[in-house]
Amino acid sequence: MSAPGPLSLNTVTVKERWGLADCIEGCARHGIAGISPWRDVLQAMGVAAAARQIRDAGLTVTGLCRGGMFPAADAAGRAAAIEDNRRAIAEAHALGAACLVMVCGGLPPGSKDLPGARAMVGDGLHAILAEARAAGVTLALEPLHPMTCADRSVLSTLGQALDLCDELGAGTGVALDVYHVWWDPALESDMARATSRIAAFHACDWLVPTTDLVFDRGMMGDGCIDIPAIRGMAEAAGYRGFVEVELLSKRWWAEDPDDVLRLIKARHATAC
Amino acid sequence: MSAPGPLSLNTVTVKERWGLADCIEGCARHGIAGISPWRDVLQAMGVAAAARQIRDAGLTVTGLCRGGMFPAADAAGRAAAIEDNRRAIAEAHALGAACLVMVCGGLPPGSKDLPGARAMVGDGLHAILAEARAAGVTLALEPLHPMTCADRSVLSTLGQALDLCDELGAGTGVALDVYHVWWDPALESDMARATSRIAAFHACDWLVPTTDLVFDRGMMGDGCIDIPAIRGMAEAAGYRGFVEVELLSKRWWAEDPDDVLRLIKARHATAC
């Protein structure tokens, strides 16, 4: 099959040792063409300075992580989430990001009302959609692994994300992370349904065994995900963009980021 | 809504301290009407002795855990799995179990071939179906949470289990554990599709946060699953059977089983 699209570094991959300026320099040093910052490191550097330095380094911003987190226990909490998403849209616009990655949020603390939380996600997305469209920022809905349903994302499958895109219309798409979707029996048919709506393609691997529900993602090639097969489905649907590497991993956070970037480059070539 | 169906104890819930004879006596002592043994404690007690003692105690055997685990790296491994499933069918028959719960198996070690593993599951089920029918043992396909896809079950959703039931026909059904399916956006529509095929209903809870992918299940009422809502879906589909409590939990394994059974009885009344 074809070679994978160009590589992008999601900054969370090296978050324990590098700030955003380090990441920008690291990408330039290692010949990595794309970057996807998280908002914490972006704000620590300052949006204007970050936008300038990323542009000067010639990097493509493949996404900004993250908007979403809409469900809250009360109306004030939900309004605050929407306000924060407005700031995220402005930041994504300032960076010229290809999309704003939406991690939609889990159940409000103590709640068992899953349909209610899903409705809050829909309401939140509707509330920010016009602003995202005006800013030219694609809202990339990211289905997260069902094991995160309670506390991170009630949006659990690609099919569910596409249903929401159907409902919301222009200005929306999906962020597809192989880690979150690889197990899904409907993956192939839903990928065909995605067509041009795949706004981002994230890679890492599922380790066997996995020892933590959040921070034990594997380096591509070290786990059981057939990443090239899923990339092939994305490309068959029309995706021609970057392969963004997003590793939340205590194991890799402990390593020298330059070593991690070297290994990512190698695995991008052999395991993606 | 209506009161939950009668209670059944899955023996894994107290596996660190009680063998099967203890479980049978414990159910009788606490007025728990059903029991669902795992095969390890069944074999340790002996099938004939267990069947006799369960019958003498007047308990209903709501299931035998577990058949399945079909995928293997080579033909000999797959044949051995099928042989073991034949023994499980015979044991379920000897106990008069309402079903044999099928945990279908994950990827063979080192494999990334998910479609291949799913095919092995289908092949294995086809291989044992005639024997199960002849023995009057319902094969209850249990969709397991997607976080177990790599190492325990490539059967991840109720919809996927029902598709398999459609394909296999008479003698098959589903074992529905709220822990494995609560997150599924298709749950309500798939439950309606299940009709008379729900062979078992398992209860526990999803803790927030969950700290282990296998052994951190919560007591009903301690987590975020709306168990009565899911039971209501099962009853709307026609289910009239037991509520079987299956807790894999280091926290509860450390407690006195009599205390655990008392709490299960209380939570069965208030949180199921």
Side-chain angles (χ1 to χ4, degrees):
Chain A
M1 73 186 288
S2 62
L7 188 57
S8 174
L9 175 70
N10 185 297
T11 64
V12 81
T13 305
V14 290
K15 76 163 188 146
E16 294 286 336
R17 299 190 177 213
W18 278 3
L20 182 50
D22 303 311
C23 289
I24 296 166
E25 291 161 19
C27 284
R29 191 163 62 246
H30 290 274
I32 293 172
I35 192 165
S36 180
W38 277 50
R39 292 180 66 207
D40 55 349
V41 294
L42 175 65
Q43 288 163 4
M45 184 175 184
V47 178
R52 189 170 55 243
Q53 190 167 332
I54 290 170
R55 193 171 54 241
D56 290 349
L59 302 178
T60 298
V61 180
T62 57
L64 176 64
C65 291
R66 56 191 193 187
M69 296 292 172
F70 294 110
D74 56 26
R78 293 190 289 279
I82 287 168
E83 272 314 299
D84 188 57
N85 274 276
R86 292 202 166 106
R87 287 190 291 275
I89 289 168
E91 291 167 8
H93 176 75
L95 291 181
C99 63
L100 176 62
V101 175
M102 304 300 288
V103 174
C104 288
L107 297 165
S111 169
K112 304 186 187 210
D113 182 6
L114 186 50
R118 288 180 183 142
M120 291 177 195
V121 168
D123 290 348
L125 288 167
H126 276 287
I128 64 169
L129 182 58
E131 197 147 338
R133 284 178 181 159
V137 171
T138 298
L139 300 176
L141 312 187
E142 183 170 28
L144 252 63
H145 196 286
M147 70 183 171
T148 73
C149 186
D151 43 12
R152 282 178 179 76
S153 178
V154 296
L155 189 69
S156 305
T157 66
L158 176 58
Q160 198 185 0
L162 291 172
D163 288 345
L164 258 176
C165 288
D166 286 345
E167 179 189 322
L168 293 160
T172 62
V174 295
L176 193 92
D177 189 319
V178 298
Y179 192 78
H180 295 308
V181 303
W182 72 276
W183 59 271
D184 188 346
L187 183 61
E188 191 155 9
S189 57
D190 283 331
M191 287 288 263
R193 202 187 134 201
T195 60
S196 64
R197 293 179 291 188
I198 302 173
F201 185 90
H202 296 185
C204 64
D205 215 333
W206 182 277
L207 298 177
V208 185
T210 290
T211 60
D212 187 284
L213 279 84
V214 184
F215 302 125
D216 193 31
R217 299 198 194 183
M219 180 67 67
M220 301 81 71
D222 287 350
C224 67
I225 303 178
D226 187 346
I227 302 171
I230 300 177
R231 178 171 63 81
M233 295 177 203
E235 291 174 357
Y239 184 72
R240 295 289 178 272
F242 282 70
V243 172
E244 178 179 323
V245 173
E246 184 182 31
L247 275 171
L248 290 88
S249 161
K250 290 179 185 169
R251 185 241 184 282
W252 292 110
W253 285 335
E255 301 282 335
D256 178 337
D258 279 300
D259 290 339
V260 175
L261 264 55
R262 270 187 284 273
L263 185 56
I264 285 173
K265 282 201 72 175
R267 295 297 177 85
H268 172 249
T270 59
C272 290
Chain B
M1 73 185 289
S2 61
L7 189 57
S8 174
L9 175 70
N10 185 297
T11 64
V12 80
T13 305
V14 290
K15 74 162 190 146
E16 294 286 337
R17 299 189 178 213
W18 278 3
L20 182 50
D22 303 312
C23 290
I24 296 166
E25 290 160 20
C27 284
R29 192 162 61 245
H30 289 274
I32 293 172
I35 192 165
S36 180
W38 276 51
R39 293 180 66 206
D40 54 349
V41 294
L42 175 65
Q43 288 163 4
M45 183 173 184
V47 177
R52 188 171 55 243
Q53 192 167 332
I54 289 170
R55 193 172 52 241
D56 291 349
L59 302 178
T60 298
V61 180
T62 57
L64 176 64
C65 292
R66 56 191 190 186
M69 295 293 173
F70 294 109
D74 56 27
R78 293 189 291 278
I82 288 167
E83 272 315 298
D84 188 58
N85 275 276
R86 292 203 166 107
R87 286 190 292 274
I89 290 167
E91 291 166 8
H93 175 76
L95 291 182
C99 63
L100 176 62
V101 175
M102 305 299 288
V103 174
C104 288
L107 297 166
S111 170
K112 304 184 187 209
D113 183 7
L114 186 51
R118 289 180 183 141
M120 291 177 195
V121 168
D123 290 347
L125 288 167
H126 277 286
I128 64 170
L129 182 58
E131 198 147 336
R133 284 178 182 158
V137 171
T138 298
L139 301 177
L141 312 187
E142 182 171 28
L144 252 62
H145 196 286
M147 70 184 172
T148 73
C149 186
D151 42 13
R152 280 177 181 75
S153 178
V154 297
L155 190 69
S156 305
T157 66
L158 176 58
Q160 196 185 2
L162 291 171
D163 288 346
L164 258 175
C165 288
D166 287 343
E167 180 189 321
L168 293 159
T172 62
V174 295
L176 193 91
D177 188 319
V178 299
Y179 191 78
H180 294 307
V181 303
W182 72 277
W183 59 270
D184 188 346
L187 183 61
E188 192 155 9
S189 57
D190 283 330
M191 288 288 263
R193 203 186 132 200
T195 60
S196 64
R197 293 179 291 186
I198 301 173
F201 185 89
H202 296 185
C204 64
D205 215 334
W206 182 278
L207 299 176
V208 186
T210 289
T211 60
D212 188 284
L213 280 84
V214 184
F215 303 124
D216 193 31
R217 298 199 194 183
M219 180 66 68
M220 301 81 72
D222 287 350
C224 67
I225 303 178
D226 187 345
I227 302 171
I230 300 177
R231 178 172 62 82
M233 295 178 204
E235 291 173 358
Y239 184 71
R240 295 289 178 272
F242 283 71
V243 173
E244 176 179 324
V245 174
E246 184 183 31
L247 276 170
L248 291 86
S249 160
K250 291 179 184 168
R251 185 238 183 285
W252 293 110
W253 284 335
E255 303 282 336
D256 178 336
D258 279 300
D259 291 339
V260 175
L261 264 56
R262 271 188 283 273
L263 185 57
I264 284 173
K265 282 201 73 175
R267 295 295 177 84
H268 172 248
T270 59
C272 289

